[in-house]
Amino acid sequence: MKCVSHQQACQLFHNKFIVVLGDSIQRSVYKDIVVLLQKDKYLSVKQLKSKGEMTFEQDCLIEGGCLNPMNNGIEYKEVRQFQSAHHLVRFYFVTRIHSRYMQSILEDFRHGLKPDVVIVNSCVWDISRYNSSWITDYKENCNKFFDELSLSVPEETLVIWNLTMPLGERIKGGFLVPEIAHKAPQLRYDVIEANFYSGTLANSYGMDVLDLHFQFRFSLQHRTHDGVHWNALAHRRITSLLAQHTAQAWGVSCPLAVVEVLRADNSNYRCPLPSNYFSNTDSHQPKRHYNDYREEFYSDSLPSGFLNFEENNPRQQEPRHASARASRSSAQPQPHLPANRRQDKHADDRNSSNYRPPRHIEHQQYVMRSRHTRHHYAPYTHHRPRQHNHHGHYYY
């Protein structure tokens, strides 16, 4: 399996603030990102199964988890944060895509540090724990969430909506309390329907959609025995897809390669990355510079082309969103309306009770396309300490 390396991940997310929102699978997505930013190593089984622990791979528990009585209820909270000299990753456990708690999270974005990347999914709890007739509620909550998220983060923020991964025919897990056990056989079909609506809606809001259900439909051997969660290999694949998607959105070349990754017992999974992997053998090829940081971020004296993941004879790559928008505008002429009228029209359409998102979603190799170019920007305005705060406070 080809995957992103520790070196690539550190370069791609240098001086970036990543937020992960979602359930236990999204928590494992967060954990794999935290591990990869420190070393080429997979998550252990124990790390995948653990929840609410005080610390994980030098991160810290900010709120909830073992600080409160542990439970499998819809009010369970867990906020984690990993901070290094050049990376900040935060995770919020959520059981519903729109709620008072989600509104408080969005309030953090409005008044606190602005995230560069938001990776979000909420589905299985939404469609199983709140209402037997889940469709209407889930649609309304998704609309509310995407509306409020659009107002809470800058336009440059890359928002990636992960579609829910395939469920097994027989499932068990913390969310599946005895009161809803009868729903288990139907949930895998409900997830497909929920994915279709949420993915279409996210795309209509100009957000990015990573179709993990499609990507893992033939990789069910990596699903654990509970029929819901996935093993460490699957999560490294998810991280690689997210990294490659982010690189495409930012116009950075990020080729995957077979890399040396260690298990928890320090035994190898794959062969090492070639020593000349990042070298450019064509001396006449012009260097590309990742030069969109603000001035205060040049104090670390990064080497030229620090974020160029180059193979032999690399070619210049424009941001994927820009090319998609250009091709769409040339193929489909837009009506000649003033900009403010077009915006009002879209807002009226979304607020209408008969609104249905457009069905035309174009798949690329890894993702559904988005509507906007995502510009590089780094929100940190001062140097961060090399050690994170262990006292349970948010870093701003």
Side-chain angles (χ1 to χ4, degrees):
M1 182 183 68
K2 292 186 176 182
C3 58
V4 66
S5 69
H6 159 66
Q7 185 178 4
Q8 286 177 311
C10 288
Q11 292 174 342
L12 181 64
F13 296 118
H14 183 84
N15 274 359
K16 299 298 182 182
F17 175 27
I18 306 170
V19 173
V20 182
L21 298 167
D23 56 14
S24 56
I25 292 180
Q26 291 290 100
R27 176 171 55 216
S28 296
V29 170
Y30 158 84
K31 287 185 173 182
D32 193 71
I33 293 173
V34 168
V35 168
L36 187 60
L37 288 176
Q38 300 179 75
K39 53 195 171 186
D40 275 316
K41 195 170 183 178
Y42 287 119
L43 292 166
S44 67
V45 174
K46 181 179 179 181
Q47 289 172 332
L48 284 168
K49 289 184 176 181
S50 298
K51 74 171 186 177
E53 63 268 45
M54 281 300 300
T55 183
F56 159 80
E57 293 289 345
Q58 301 189 49
D59 83 337
C60 60
L61 180 65
I62 300 294
E63 179 185 348
C66 65
L67 297 175
N68 297 328
M70 302 289 286
N71 63 80
N72 291 323
I74 58 177
E75 299 298 328
Y76 176 77
K77 294 181 176 61
E78 182 178 348
V79 182
R80 314 195 65 85
Q81 181 168 283
F82 168 76
Q83 177 187 329
S84 69
H86 295 288
H87 304 99
L88 185 63
V89 189
R90 187 180 298 164
F91 167 73
Y92 296 88
F93 185 92
V94 296
T95 62
R96 203 173 195 180
I97 190 58
H98 187 269
S99 62
R100 288 185 179 179
Y101 180 58
M102 180 62 81
Q103 288 177 316
S104 71
I105 296 172
L106 298 179
E107 199 69 18
D108 287 346
F109 298 161
R110 280 191 284 269
H111 301 294
L113 197 63
K114 307 300 181 185
D116 297 278
V117 182
V118 177
I119 303 167
V120 58
N121 167 267
S122 185
C123 176
V124 176
W125 287 71
D126 296 71
I127 68 178
S128 62
R129 292 294 296 269
Y130 291 93
N131 195 330
S132 57
S133 301
W134 59 268
I135 298 177
T136 302
D137 282 349
Y138 188 60
K139 289 179 177 180
E140 291 178 355
N141 286 333
C142 284
N143 268 298
K144 292 176 182 177
F145 171 74
F146 292 134
D147 266 333
E148 294 186 16
L149 181 64
S150 300
L151 300 174
S152 303
V153 297
E155 184 179 355
E156 295 86 357
T157 297
L158 177 64
V159 180
I160 303 176
W161 176 260
N162 285 348
L163 295 191
T164 304
M165 302 174 74
L167 294 182
E169 184 177 358
R170 298 179 180 179
I171 61 175
K172 58 182 179 179
F175 76 95
L176 199 65
V177 294
E179 293 79 4
I180 62 169
H182 63 281
K183 295 184 178 181
Q186 180 64 26
L187 271 179
R188 56 181 179 149
Y189 303 111
D190 291 341
V191 160
I192 296 174
E193 184 175 358
N195 277 344
F196 170 77
Y197 183 81
S198 64
T200 306
L201 185 63
N203 186 68
S204 72
Y205 273 87
M207 298 173 185
D208 295 58
V209 182
L210 178 58
D211 194 346
L212 295 180
H213 195 285
F214 176 83
Q215 290 293 327
F216 286 88
R217 70 199 188 283
F218 296 136
S219 302
L220 305 183
Q221 71 275 16
H222 295 300
R223 193 169 57 198
T224 60
H225 294 301
D226 65 6
V228 178
H229 298 93
W230 297 74
N231 66 16
L233 288 171
H235 277 286
R236 183 52 50 86
R237 175 64 176 162
I238 294 172
T239 303
S240 299
L241 291 170
L242 288 168
Q244 194 165 30
H245 167 74
T246 303
Q248 287 177 351
W250 288 345
V252 178
S253 177
C254 181
L256 301 182
V258 178
V259 298
E260 180 182 7
V261 181
L262 300 180
R263 300 171 59 140
D265 57 4
N266 293 327
S267 59
N268 293 339
Y269 266 124
R270 290 290 184 264
C271 60
L273 192 70
S275 59
N276 62 346
Y277 181 72
F278 285 96
S279 63
N280 180 9
T281 57
D282 187 357
S283 58
H284 301 289
Q285 185 70 22
K287 292 282 188 180
R288 289 180 315 202
H289 298 280
Y290 189 84
N291 56 6
D292 290 320
Y293 286 135
R294 293 201 298 259
E295 184 177 357
E296 58 264 31
F297 294 101
Y298 287 105
S299 60
D300 291 320
S301 299
L302 300 178
S304 176
F306 181 69
L307 284 179
N308 293 337
F309 303 113
E310 297 172 342
E311 293 183 303
N312 294 342
N313 301 320
R315 59 188 178 88
Q316 186 77 17
Q317 178 178 344
E318 65 172 338
R320 174 178 55 78
H321 300 76
S323 59
R325 187 171 65 253
S327 62
R328 184 170 63 256
S329 60
S330 61
Q332 299 179 358
Q334 300 294 325
H336 296 287
L337 294 175
N340 59 343
R341 289 186 60 191
R342 288 199 298 271
Q343 293 174 357
D344 294 341
K345 180 178 183 300
H346 293 321
D348 293 340
D349 288 343
R350 287 203 184 101
N351 294 329
S352 171
S353 59
N354 296 324
Y355 170 71
R356 291 183 62 83
R359 290 174 177 266
H360 55 281
I361 303 178
E362 298 178 8
H363 281 269
Q364 295 196 8
Q365 185 178 5
Y366 299 109
V367 295
M368 300 179 188
R369 62 174 171 77
S370 177
R371 304 287 180 128
H372 303 289
T373 302
R374 310 295 183 185
H375 302 286
H376 296 290
Y377 87 114
Y380 309 134
T381 57
H382 57 276
H383 292 288
R384 301 192 303 282
R386 290 189 175 275
Q387 299 296 326
H388 56 71
N389 190 342
H390 289 280
H391 301 291
H393 299 293
Y394 287 92
Y395 181 85
Y396 291 112

